[in-house]
Structure formats: structure tokens, C-alpha cells
Amino acid sequence: MSSDAITIPALQIQEKPWVDLLHEWVTTVDHKRLGILYIVYALVFLVFGGIEALIIRVQLMHSHNNFVSPQVFNRMFTMHGTTMIFFVVMPVLFGFANYLVPLMIGARDMAFPRLNAFSFWLSAFGGLLLYFSFLGGSGLYGAGSAPDVGWWAYAPLTARAFSPGHSSDYWTLALLVSGFGSIGTSINIIATILCLRCPGMKLNRMPLLAWLNLVMAGMVLIAITPLSAAQIMLLIDRYLGGHFFDAQAGGSAVLWMHFFWIFGHPEVYILVIPAFAFLSEIVPVFSRKPIFGYPVMVAATICIAFVSLSVWAHHMFTVGMNSYANSFFAITTMAVGIPTGIKIFNWIGTMWGGRILFKVPMLFCLGFLFQFLIAGLTGIMQAAAPFDWQLSLSYFVVAHFHYVIVGGILFALFGAFYYWCPKMTGRMLSERLGRWHFWLFVIGFHMTFDVMHIPGLLGMPRRIYTYEPGRGWDTLNLIVSIGAFIQAIAILVFVWNLISSYFKGAKAGNDPWDAWTLEWSTSSPPPPYNFATIPVVASRRPLWDLKHPEDPDSLYE
Amino acid sequence: MFVLSSLLLAPKALAQHSQTSIFAPQSTPAKSILDLSIFVLSITGIIFVVVFTLLVYSISKFRAKPANANSEPAQVYGSNQIEMAWTIIPILIVVVLFLATARVIHAIQDAPEPAGAVEVTAIGHQYWWEFRYPKLGIVTANELHIPVSDPIHPTPTFLQLLSADTDHSFWIPVLAGKTDLIPNHPNRMWMDPHRTGIFLGQCAQYCGVQHAKMLLRVSVDSPQDFAAWVRGQQQPAVQDQSVMTGRQVFEHTACINCHTVSGTPADGRFGPDLTHLMSRTTIAAGAAENTPQNLRLWIDDPDAMKHGSLMPAMKLSDADVDAVASYMETLR
């Protein structure tokens, strides 16, 4: 590194009237503030989505339960799925990308700060629009409230004949609006990474987090577009007499499935690649070694991105495609396991021979590795199309994708919170509460989602508001529900940790983890515009070079 | 973390207690799926054990110790040989898995229909099943009767799957994997049950409010029983003068717009055919036992038994409900 990383003392925070503070946050175009807005917004929706999950689990505790009506149950699982995917995981990942990418590539902000703010507020209003359906969804016919068509909203259930009122319209518009927000943010991430890297930061010196977010943003551009197109087609069907998906008039219900899943499957990787990004930053720091096989990690990510665009119809093995189509999507789906496996091996390679520190961020990453391994293997089972004819649409699938999203993505996210919160707030999160959070969540997670596989194997379909006694499902569902409440308690511990440490956590300092990427060279929280002088880098680990001038990385790359 | 071991062991133990376990196949498609599943489970199980061991080993072996607290470990950046190894081995595994999978896909999906096959058209409705036997001239609902298939003289059942409204999915786990019923997109599936009995399942594709109570019963009959059942179903409805009042109420309300009773003016097709209602053991797509009390409750207020059902309460007087229920009880 040719110039010293210059640290700036944290700005003196003056007491301001709350109206001014609010005005600052609402009108901000600073990437760090927008990142935090994204994250807080996602946490609020996490609570909503979590409450919906708990309502579902109470209803399913035992057979023939009457905790909620079938209509309410159907709204709950629709809203839970839509909320968690579009208004929790996507915004929280965009939040971290927004906050971290400019800092890690030595930039002062995103390439288009105003577009950034615009995209955030679009997504935010999308979420509000979805939840406004609880009040406004009844429409002229007085039917329905929140959408109840499932988060895939399969045609023709969304036709006006089957979904009167405006509940489906709120779902459509919410996704359309937030989808435009996602596209805006992705364009911004791509432009930032391609154009604003600091001197010396060649593409092959970028931190993996920046690389993976670049790939993720590219995938968003490809995947959200067909979803948005399908939403517009659905609106045309519902209000302008179109027949795209109207089977009664010669339209095709299967067409909607293709549109939805050519978005829906890349979406899984859009969510999981940023989780991979967190692992690729956290595991090396807590193993005290550089990432193993950096170029292979980049190549594997790009490979996942391409292959994952050709696997969508594995969600449709029961739809009645011919045997050649089923075989094609079986092999592409199995093939995507190869680069994913390479990633897991490389993380193990990173830990191998290292000096592993079991701080809370690392604990969550280790949880990710074990759970994502299992999620991947149950994914391989479902790639075997005939096996999937039994597993698809059952609780096995529900367990599988929660293993990916909760056991994988959410664990990585918690790791990211414990790792980067000190940078964002200037204060450490409590290790003690963090360990409580981790172990409670591990216990709750495994009680819920390990056990949830079994009712699926015993013939329990998903999306049923109640079930018949005597099929061996009762006890299993009770255990699943208890696990869900343990997870909820763990989340409360986490939220308490966030709040209490914000006010009285230990001071973090610039570089609490003895890490190697540029964000740790500036103050915590970083000042507006991040760096007083733009840093110049000579390797992938600029702070390692600074700390070990006798043996810098730049000698080996 | 112990999911794979529980996956392998627990369902086997539970298979005896559950009539809907995929581990207790009773027909060729379900059996070949299970064989493939066991193969895939074994391979993924081995991968799990290997990677799990590597993870546990590296975590315990390379944990920070007080002895090395102040020194950084050797900085290793990667190794092309190792990367090659853990790329090529997974590729080989995928090839093997794919070949095994493709074989079963072909065997089940492209199976030719033998001459002795029974043909049934299954039509999904919100929230019940219509079964039509075009060659036998039978129409029934919710409870599918098919003959047992002898390996020497196979009489498999081939289902043509249609939908009258939204998507549904036909799933009897012990007989075959599921196949969706999609409007304007006919599908096909088959099964050849190896033993007689009642096999349960239900709609697997979310189809609306009462998706949960769109249950399926398949009665696999011996050849004699099946022939007797066919003869019974081919008869026109029993005409019983003692329940004429009930029949008149039935025929003078909107009931007949949706329901058929053969040989009478009732010829609606929106709801289940009632010609031989009493030959069925359940009503409301399996939501309740077919008892006189349940039948009366159902006619009086379907919503109370199956909230969101599309059958309206006709607001009949108690006497009329009793009369219609009595009429129904004669439709054997």
C-alpha cells in the first residue's frame, strides 16, 4: 500500500431536533445511511414475516386445529413467503451491499447516489403497498383482504374469477414496484464496482464480497425482468381483458409457471450469493488466512450464475413436462451443485491449517457451512426428478428451502451483523448475548427444520391449513412449532443485543477484528465520504500489507 | 445436523404407522421411485459423512490455542491440484446420479399403455375430485376404485388428468409420485397397485380456500369386487317412492344445476355426481364420514363443515333438509 490509510476521528455528534434528524435520514443520498435504512426496514419486515410464521405454526400444532380460519391461514403463508423473500432478505442484502461495497473498493459513495435513494424508497413503498392490502384489499366486492394466492401466485388462481377484489393487485403492484427498486440498486452496484474502484484495485484484487455482489447484481437484472413482465401481463389479464394466463380462454397456466420460476430460481442464488460473500470475508479473518483459491471462488460464482439460469423448471417436475425436458432440468440442477460444492471445499481449505477464532460471527458462519451442506444435499435429492415427484409440494420441500434461506442465508446474515455492526455503529455487539442468540437459534432451527422433512416424506402437502389425524404427522408438527418459538426467542435476544449495544456496547475502534479489507482502515462509523484521501492498494488484502510490511501479499499475487 | 440420519431411519420406523409414507410403495411407479430415492440417499449420505468429517476435523484441529496466540499461521493462497480434485470428483458423481435418474424418468413417464389397462379421467374441481371411466360409462367422485394389478396379467390404471378451474395435484404417495391437474393442459399418470386395500392421499397443489380438505381415497379392489362395483355404478339411480318429497325438494331447488342423479332431471356437472352417493364412505371430498347425521349437516350448511366450500346453503326448512337427506340415503 503506497499511502497510509488515513483515519479520521469520528465526527462530533451534536444534539439536533428530531425533525432535523428525520429530515436528514429521509432525504439522504449517502450510501451508508441508505444501507442502514435498507437493513432496518428489512428487520421491521422480519418481525412481520416472523409473526405470520408463528401464526402458521400455532395453527398446525395439531390436527383439526381451529386457531385461524382457512382464509386467514392462506393469507398468512402467502404474506410470509412474499415478505421474507422480497421485503426481508433482498433489502437486507442490498443494505449490506450498499454499505460495504463502496467502503471495500475504496470509493466515496455509490456511482448514482440519487438513484440509490430512489431505489430504496421504491422498495420501501412496495412493502407498504403489500401490507396496505390488509386494510384496502377488499375492493369493490368486499372479498378477501391480504393476498391469499401463495407466493408463486399460480395462474389461474389469480384470475378475477378466483381472486375477486384487489388483494392480488396489491401483491402484483408491490412486487412490480419493489422490483424496479431492485433493478435500480443493481445497476448502481454494477456501475460502482466497475467504475469507482480505488487506484491499484484491479478486478482480480477486489474483495470477494465485491465480486459476488457484482454477480448478484447482474443476476437481478436478468431475473427480475421476466417477473416484472409477468406482473404486467397479469394486470392486463385482470383489467384489460388479456388472456395470457386465462386457461378458459385458451391461455396457459403453465406459461405463468415458466415466467415465475425463470425469476424464482435465479432468485435463490441472488439471495445466497451475497451470503457466500459474507462467508468469504468472515471465514478468512477468523481463520487468520487468506481465502483459499480466490480465482476459483470467482469462477465458481460466475458458473453458478450461468447454470442457475437454466434450472428453473425443476420447480415444475410435477407439471407434466415430457421425459426429455425433465431429464434436462435434472442434470442442470445437479450440475449447479458442482460449483457450489467447490465453494464449500474452498472455505474448508481456508480454515485448514489456520488458527480459528470462535467469535460470534465465525460461529454463525460455521453454522452456515453445516446447514448449507445439508440443504445442498436435499437439493440434489430433489434434482432426481422421480424422487421429486414424491417430494415436491410436500413439507420436505418446505424444510429444504428453509434450510437454504434460514440455515444458510440467515445464519450468514447474522454473522455479517456481528461482524460489521461495530463498523456501522462504532460499538461492539455483546459476545455473551451473541452466543445465547447463536445457540438458541441453532436449537430452534434444528428442531423446526430437521423434523419438518419427515411429515413431507409421510405424505403431508404444503399449504394446508389443517390435516387429518392418524397419519403420523401430529407429534412431528408439534415439535416443529415448538422449535419455531425457540427461534423467535433467539431473534428477540438478537434485537435486544442490537439495541442495548447501540447505546452501551464497548467501543469498537477502527479495526476490532484485526481484518484486512479497506473498510477497517477508516473510522467506525466511517465519516461521510468514507476516506479523506482515496487509498491505493497493491494486493487483495491491503491492511495485511500494511500490518506485515516484511511479508506483504503483493509479493505473491 | 442429524437430519440425514433421521431421514434414513425415522421414516422407516414411521412407515408402519402412516398410510401415506413414500417408504411403503404398493405399485411399480412408487417402487421404482423408492429404489432411486434409496440410491440417491446413499450417495448424498456418503457425501455428507465425508464433508461433515472434514468440517469437524478442521474446526477441532485448527482451533486457536494459547500456544500459537501471537503468531499468524502460514498464509496459503490455494492449490490448483486440490481444486482439480474437488471439481472432477463431483462431476463424476453427478454423471452417475443423472444416468440413474434419467433411466427412472424414462421408465415411468414413457411406459406404454397395455391392452388390459383401465382408463380413468380425473378432473380436479375446487375442492373435490371427479372420476369418469369413459369405457365403462361410470361417473363418480372423490373415491377412486381401481382393480389390483397382477404381475402376470397386468391391469394398470392410466389416469388422464384435467382441471375444471385452478391447478390441483393428484398424490397417493404409496401408489405413485404426484402429477398436477392443470386447466387446458392434459396430463397423464399411471399406477398398478400390487395389493388390495384403501390408499389415502390428497390434493398437493394449492388450489384455494379448502385445498386442505380435498382428500383422496383410492380403493384397490380384487377383480371380482371391481367388476361388482362397476356393475353397481352402471345402474341408473334407485327410484324410491317413499322419498318422493325429498326428491321433489331436490329437483325444485338449485341442487340440480350442479348435481347429477342419472335417470332424473338432475344433470348438473358443477358438483359431484350423486347417482350412487351411498356407495361412498365419505362426503365433501373426505371431509366427513358418510353418515346420515353428517349428510344432514352438510345439506343444511356446507360452510359449517367445510368453510369456503363452493356448495351454497339452500336455506331449506328443517323438514325439507330431512326430506332431501332421506332421498340421498336411498341413492345406493
Side-chain angles (χ1 to χ4, degrees):
Chain A
M1 199 164 174
S2 56
S3 81
D4 271 14
I6 292 177
T7 46
I8 301 160
L11 292 183
Q12 285 299 313
I13 295 160
Q14 288 145 4
E15 286 295 318
K16 286 182 195 162
W18 67 271
V19 182
D20 286 7
L21 258 177
L22 184 69
H23 181 259
E24 273 180 18
W25 278 91
V26 171
T27 57
T28 186
V29 293
D30 175 32
H31 76 97
K32 296 184 292 300
R33 287 198 159 182
L34 283 165
I36 290 170
L37 280 173
Y38 261 121
I39 291 168
V40 171
Y41 159 85
L43 286 175
V44 170
F45 277 96
L46 176 70
V47 173
F48 292 164
I51 291 170
E52 285 150 6
L54 292 179
I55 292 172
I56 292 171
R57 284 324 311 174
V58 173
Q59 168 68 16
L60 292 177
M61 265 180 173
H62 57 87
S63 52
H64 288 174
N65 193 3
N66 285 316
F67 178 66
V68 291
S69 71
Q71 286 90 341
V72 169
F73 184 87
N74 296 345
R75 280 173 209 145
M76 287 302 119
F77 72 68
T78 304
M79 291 296 275
H80 168 74
T82 309
T83 304
M84 288 302 194
I85 297 287
F86 294 99
F87 301 108
V88 178
V89 184
M90 282 192 84
V92 79
L93 295 173
F94 282 148
F96 275 100
N98 242 310
Y99 196 99
L100 294 173
V101 166
L103 280 168
M104 292 180 92
I105 62 172
R108 287 193 163 142
D109 204 318
M110 297 286 274
F112 309 114
R114 280 164 177 278
L115 175 65
N116 202 8
F118 179 64
S119 302
F120 167 73
W121 289 105
L122 272 183
S123 299
F125 281 116
L128 295 181
L129 199 56
L130 182 70
Y131 274 81
F132 185 70
S133 66
F134 275 109
L135 303 174
S138 51
L140 286 176
Y141 304 93
S145 143
D148 58 355
V149 290
W151 87 275
W152 318 329
Y154 266 10
L157 209 52
T158 47
R160 282 218 286 179
F162 302 107
S163 177
H166 292 307
S167 61
S168 294
D169 301 326
Y170 279 98
W171 182 86
T172 303
L173 291 171
L175 262 57
L176 198 56
V177 170
S178 76
F180 290 141
S182 305
I183 290 173
T185 295
S186 300
I187 291 173
N188 216 342
I189 291 173
I190 294 172
T192 306
I193 292 175
L194 293 184
C195 306
L196 295 188
R197 278 167 290 131
C198 66
M201 184 163 287
K202 297 189 264 183
L203 278 178
N204 69 0
R205 283 184 193 156
M206 272 203 312
L208 276 177
L209 185 136
W211 251 116
L212 269 61
N213 275 291
L214 175 66
V215 174
M216 178 274 279
M219 290 181 71
V220 168
L221 293 187
I222 297 172
I224 297 279
T225 326
L227 178 71
S228 301
Q231 305 288 11
I232 292 168
M233 289 158 80
L234 180 58
L235 286 174
I236 291 173
D237 266 16
R238 281 176 66 88
Y239 291 102
L240 299 176
H243 300 300
F244 293 111
F245 311 119
D246 179 3
Q248 311 281 351
S252 169
V254 179
L255 179 65
W256 171 271
M257 300 178 191
H258 281 294
F259 266 107
F260 189 84
W261 288 119
I262 203 163
F263 147 78
H265 201 83
E267 170 74 5
V268 177
Y269 289 92
I270 289 170
L271 302 179
V272 83
I273 284 178
F276 293 164
F278 299 147
L279 267 269
S280 305
E281 296 302 327
I282 296 172
V283 170
V285 168
F286 290 94
S287 306
R288 311 308 305 160
K289 279 178 63 203
I291 189 81
F292 193 87
Y294 174 99
V296 180
M297 287 297 250
V298 173
T301 310
I302 294 170
C303 181
I304 289 174
F306 278 108
V307 180
S308 75
L309 293 173
S310 62
V311 301
W312 77 92
H314 68 216
H315 295 266
M316 298 164 57
F317 281 144
T318 66
V319 164
M321 296 183 295
N322 67 32
S323 53
Y324 297 101
N326 281 335
S327 305
F328 174 80
F329 286 105
I331 192 164
T332 53
T333 305
M334 290 171 180
V336 87
I338 298 169
T340 314
I342 291 173
K343 282 184 160 293
I344 291 188
F345 290 128
N346 275 302
W347 288 316
I348 296 178
T350 306
M351 295 193 293
W352 198 273
R355 184 165 63 83
I356 303 173
L357 303 165
F358 293 93
K359 301 280 192 195
V360 178
M362 187 63 175
L363 289 181
F364 277 104
C365 288
L366 293 174
F368 172 101
L369 286 175
F370 284 106
Q371 285 143 203
F372 194 72
L373 167 66
I374 294 171
L377 293 176
T378 52
I380 294 284
M381 295 175 199
Q382 288 163 93
F387 200 177
D388 190 63
W389 294 333
Q390 292 284 22
L391 302 177
S392 179
L393 303 172
S394 80
Y395 260 89
F396 189 93
V397 176
V398 181
H400 160 74
F401 69 72
H402 280 93
Y403 238 94
V404 176
I405 292 173
V406 180
I409 298 166
L410 197 56
F411 267 73
L413 263 170
F414 284 141
F417 269 102
Y418 283 90
Y419 186 68
W420 279 293
C421 260
K423 180 53 60 182
M424 295 181 184
T425 64
R427 289 173 187 274
M428 304 297 286
L429 290 174
S430 153
E431 278 281 311
R432 193 174 55 84
L433 285 176
R435 281 170 198 278
W436 273 99
H437 169 206
F438 174 74
W439 286 110
L440 276 173
F441 205 75
V442 165
I443 294 168
F445 170 81
H446 286 280
M447 260 182 94
T448 299
F449 296 112
D450 291 12
V451 175
M452 194 187 271
H453 289 88
I454 303 170
L457 299 171
L458 298 183
M460 181 170 171
R462 63 194 292 196
R463 296 176 169 176
I464 52 174
Y465 74 92
T466 194
Y467 49 93
E468 302 300 303
R471 299 202 173 174
W473 304 345
D474 290 67
T475 317
L476 297 166
N477 273 292
L478 182 63
I479 299 172
V480 169
S481 296
I482 295 170
F485 279 91
I486 298 178
Q487 290 179 69
I489 294 168
I491 298 280
L492 289 180
V493 173
F494 170 61
V495 171
W496 172 244
N497 197 353
L498 282 181
I499 294 170
S500 64
S501 64
Y502 179 77
F503 291 107
K504 46 181 194 177
K507 289 267 189 256
N510 292 0
D511 184 13
W513 309 115
D514 191 8
W516 303 309
T517 38
L518 283 178
E519 76 271 31
W520 305 107
S521 69
T522 181
S523 63
S524 306
Y529 303 109
N530 304 344
F531 304 99
T533 50
I534 293 289
V536 178
V537 300
S539 80
R540 287 173 201 146
R541 296 193 296 170
L543 268 61
W544 169 275
D545 294 0
L546 200 66
K547 292 167 186 170
H548 301 270
E550 75 293 349
D551 184 30
D553 269 6
S554 45
L555 291 182
Y556 305 102
E557 280 170 15
Chain B
M1 242 168 253
F2 307 102
V3 61
L4 276 179
S5 51
S6 52
L7 274 184
L8 284 165
L9 301 175
K12 289 257 171 187
L14 285 161
Q16 292 94 12
H17 302 293
S18 178
Q19 300 156 289
T20 48
S21 167
I22 69 166
F23 291 94
Q26 303 295 339
S27 123
T28 306
K31 182 75 173 62
S32 27
I33 290 176
L34 181 62
D35 293 343
L36 174 69
S37 309
I38 299 291
F39 178 69
V40 175
L41 276 170
S42 320
I43 297 216
T44 48
I46 293 167
I47 300 174
F48 174 75
V49 170
V50 170
V51 182
F52 184 88
T53 313
L54 274 174
L55 264 171
V56 171
Y57 178 79
S58 55
I59 289 171
S60 51
K61 168 89 178 168
F62 302 109
R63 59 192 311 148
K65 297 177 192 83
N68 59 12
N70 295 317
S71 63
E72 296 286 27
Q75 303 293 299
V76 177
Y77 299 89
S79 151
N80 287 341
Q81 289 84 356
I82 295 176
E83 301 282 357
M84 283 296 279
W86 64 42
T87 307
I88 289 170
I89 296 171
I91 288 176
L92 296 177
I93 295 175
V94 161
V95 169
V96 172
L97 278 176
F98 170 70
L99 292 176
T101 300
R103 200 174 129 262
V104 178
I105 292 177
H106 174 72
I108 294 178
Q109 273 201 288
D110 302 335
E113 184 175 332
V118 177
E119 284 181 9
V120 182
T121 303
I123 305 166
H125 294 259
Q126 282 182 323
Y127 309 98
W128 63 282
W129 305 89
E130 178 179 357
F131 297 117
R132 308 179 82 91
Y133 298 66
K135 283 186 187 162
L136 302 172
I138 296 174
V139 181
T140 183
N142 300 325
E143 296 176 12
L144 178 67
H145 281 254
I146 57 174
V148 71
S149 180
D150 173 357
I152 299 150
H153 303 289
T155 49
T157 301
F158 275 71
L159 289 171
Q160 159 104 341
L161 302 172
L162 308 174
S163 167
D165 37 51
T166 60
D167 301 340
H168 307 275
S169 194
F170 186 99
W171 190 26
I172 308 279
V174 298
L175 293 183
K178 60 185 79 61
T179 309
D180 294 358
L181 298 81
I182 300 166
N184 202 9
H185 182 90
N187 274 335
R188 194 186 82 130
M189 68 180 286
W190 64 279
M191 48 208 179
D192 59 342
H194 299 149
R195 70 169 179 86
T196 57
I198 302 286
F199 300 106
L200 301 178
Q202 64 192 87
C203 177
Q205 180 69 279
Y206 177 62
C207 57
V209 179
Q210 274 295 352
H211 164 55
K213 289 197 177 166
M214 187 167 165
L215 307 177
L216 262 171
R217 274 173 94 84
V218 175
S219 171
V220 176
D221 303 333
S222 67
Q224 299 78 16
D225 288 351
F226 183 69
W229 179 81
V230 168
R231 276 196 304 280
Q233 298 290 310
Q234 282 169 336
Q235 304 301 316
V238 173
Q239 308 266 354
D240 188 338
Q241 289 306 313
S242 68
V243 291
M244 211 51 203
T245 338
R247 183 174 159 187
Q248 270 164 359
V249 177
F250 183 79
E251 287 174 4
H252 288 91
T253 55
C255 306
I256 58 170
N257 292 345
C258 299
H259 292 290
T260 295
V261 178
S262 69
T264 76
D267 62 353
R269 279 194 57 187
F270 196 72
D273 187 301
L274 300 177
T275 310
H276 300 286
L277 174 65
M278 299 316 286
S279 70
R280 307 204 278 263
T281 51
T282 59
I283 56 172
E289 295 284 308
N290 189 0
T291 62
Q293 298 91 320
N294 283 341
L295 201 52
R296 196 186 177 287
L297 280 173
W298 175 249
I299 296 166
D300 188 35
D301 184 9
D303 224 36
M305 190 177 279
K306 191 169 165 182
H307 187 49
S309 150
L310 297 189
M311 173 161 151
M314 301 308 297
K315 313 282 185 211
L316 300 175
S317 67
D318 277 358
D320 283 353
V321 172
D322 287 334
V324 173
S326 311
Y327 171 48
M328 291 296 121
E329 283 164 38
T330 64
L331 298 175
R332 289 180 293 279

